[in-house]
Amino acid sequence: DNGNPFTASNSLIPNLPTSQKMFDVAISSTGDVGAVTQGSNLSGPLTYWQRSPLLGNAWFSTQVPAVVDPRLQDTLFGPSVDLMFDDASRPHFVGINRLSSFNNVAAYRFDITTGAWASSILETAAGNGPLISDVAADSNDDGILGAAWVNNGVLKYAYLDTNEISPSWVVTNVATTTPTGVQLELSQGVGLAFDNAGLPVISFVDNTMRQIWVAYDPPSAFGGGVTD
């Protein structure tokens, strides 16, 4: 918040029902504060909360619908949600569900035109592999949103260019091994951030030495290479 560390708890939102638990919070470049909550039993719909200086800093909330897909009607798992704002202060978040039969990574964005949440499935877990256990997301100052995860040992990076009239997520494969030829952990947590040039930097681990590696400039997205 203006360069200062920012932490949050349930007390951030006045009169938040005790049955709700906050799982992520973000601040936009214009001072909007957003938060995502879900029932403390980690089930049921997500709720998005926002406080805006343009609206007198009052809190408003909206329930987030399940992913629109005929094969499931399941909301995201609250602890997996990563909330962010684009450079136009529009909220987005990415997360995973807990369905063993249809485990996937999904992205949500708030459509200003329709006043509703729009969702899209970025990837489904490999049928012969473990569940996707984590997804990380971030945004840069150029209107690019990014997300990263590992699906059955394949490091993935997806990006959304919000400068486009009708933006859509593009999913790319980053790596299946480290530069030394060691395979990645099949299911793992990852980290994602953008550097000063607006390019993504992803952290992950291998499945032998359990070393932390860093990949940047995903080849199919920006023409660079994977480097430790």
Side-chain angles (χ1 to χ4, degrees), residues 51-92:
R51 186 187 72 191
S52 174
L54 298 177
L55 299 175
N57 282 320
W59 283 96
F60 297 90
S61 66
T62 176
Q63 194 171 98
V64 180
V67 176
V68 179
D69 188 287
R71 293 168 290 184
L72 79 160
Q73 283 296 316
D74 185 56
T75 58
L76 298 183
F77 181 45
S80 75
V81 170
D82 222 340
L83 173 66
M84 56 196 158
F85 286 95
D86 61 26
D87 61 343
S89 295
R90 293 169 297 204
H92 303 252

